Amino acid sequence: NNSQNIKIYEDGVQLDLDNSGITVVSSDETVATVIPNGNLAAVTGVSSGNATITVSKGTQSITIPVVIS
């Protein structure tokens, strides 16, 4: 199978979602936690505030701002 699962974001960043090696982290786990599950991750609000979720694979990464109110 030579197919690839590539996500292209609005700002042009491309992230290869295939295979292992993907990490998803929260900048502030008192605001939002991340539970990874293979190529997916659940982000859960914990308390009011701002956090950044960073998805990385190798040298590729994208950050997603999160506001919990």
Side-chain angles (χ1 to χ4, degrees):
N1 184 352
N2 291 331
S3 66
Q4 286 185 302
N5 187 7
I6 303 288
K7 172 68 177 173
I8 302 174
Y9 295 88
E10 289 178 16
D11 61 1
V13 171
Q14 296 183 20
L15 185 62
D16 178 357
L17 300 178
D18 285 334
N19 303 316
S20 63
I22 293 174
T23 59
V24 183
V25 295
S26 172
S27 65
D28 188 343
E29 290 195 347
T30 65
V31 174
T33 60
V34 176
I35 301 171
N37 182 11
N39 289 342
L40 303 175
V43 177
T44 302
V46 177
S47 64
S48 297
N50 298 317
T52 301
I53 305 302
T54 302
V55 181
S56 303
K57 181 177 181 183
T59 60
Q60 300 174 325
S61 68
I62 188 165
T63 56
I64 305 152
V66 175
V67 178
I68 307 296
S69 56

